[in-house]
Amino acid sequence: MADSQKPLAGRTIAFLATNGVEQIELTSPWEAVEAAGGSPVLVSPQADSITAMNDDWNHGDSFDVDVQLLAAEAKDYHALVLPGGTLNGDALRVDVDAVAFVKSFFEQHKPVAAICHAPWTLINAGVVEGRELTSYKSLEADLKNAGALWQDAEVVVDEGLVTSRNPGDLQAFNAKLIEEFGEGRHEGQTA
């Protein structure tokens, strides 16, 4: 059992992202996972590094990829974080390997946290029907059309699935993802 100061000690957390990821939605949860004793790992379809964006318009920093997506398997991680960013979310939702990687976390009942535009990938993974979640406002109709129970809330938790709307929700998002990741598998977290 992890101690209360480091609830993610000994846990490896995958962060799935590609070029165009919203920088603060990558770095803030990453730092929260580290502070909770977890080991974050950047997984990407890109081989070497990805370039983040600030507010979808301005290039941010580059981040080294730890594991290329083709070599990544959900069984090697305790949980998954899907940062947002319009370009990132749009690219990952049509990447067959990314969609399969995401779906496998649900099949293994592992917790997943998605923010902003990241729930697009959840739609394509077929895991939102009947689930309560939130997202960036422009995804509301897409999620409802896929059968999700969309809410306009700072953070929504449904059986190990943590979602938030935008960078303004990061404090609540990070707190809930640490809590859910610390709890481990959730039987209600299914594909």
Side-chain angles (χ1 to χ4, degrees), residues 45-105:
Q46 304 301 117
D48 299 318
S49 67
I50 61 172
T51 301
M53 300 292 280
N54 292 310
D55 302 320
D56 283 336
W57 298 107
N58 301 302
H59 278 102
D61 297 326
S62 291
F63 297 88
D64 292 336
V65 172
D66 297 311
V67 178
Q68 193 168 8
L69 179 59
L70 291 175
E73 295 184 52
K75 68 177 181 62
D76 297 329
Y77 305 96
H78 294 92
L80 173 66
V81 176
L82 297 170
T86 309
L87 298 174
N88 174 63
D90 195 42
L92 291 177
R93 71 177 171 156
V94 296
D95 183 310
V96 175
D97 297 314
V99 169
F101 183 66
V102 169
K103 186 171 186 164
S104 61
F105 280 85

Side-chain angles (χ1 to χ4, degrees), residues 11-27:
R11 296 178 192 248
T12 304
I13 311 301
F15 279 69
L16 178 62
T18 192
N19 289 318
V21 65
E22 181 67 35
Q23 183 161 318
I24 192 68
E25 293 174 357
L26 172 63
T27 58

Side-chain angles (χ1 to χ4, degrees), residues 107-157:
E107 292 169 343
Q108 295 173 35
H109 309 288
K110 293 181 177 181
V112 173
I115 189 168
C116 200
H117 287 81
W120 262 338
T121 307
L122 300 178
I123 293 170
N124 288 27
V127 297
V128 300
E129 187 171 358
R131 301 297 297 272
E132 293 182 17
L133 54 92
T134 192
S135 68
Y136 193 74
K137 181 75 174 156
S138 65
L139 276 65
E140 177 183 357
D142 294 344
L143 286 159
K144 286 180 175 178
N145 288 339
L149 306 171
W150 190 88
Q151 301 173 26
D152 184 12
E154 178 178 60
V155 64
V156 176
V157 180

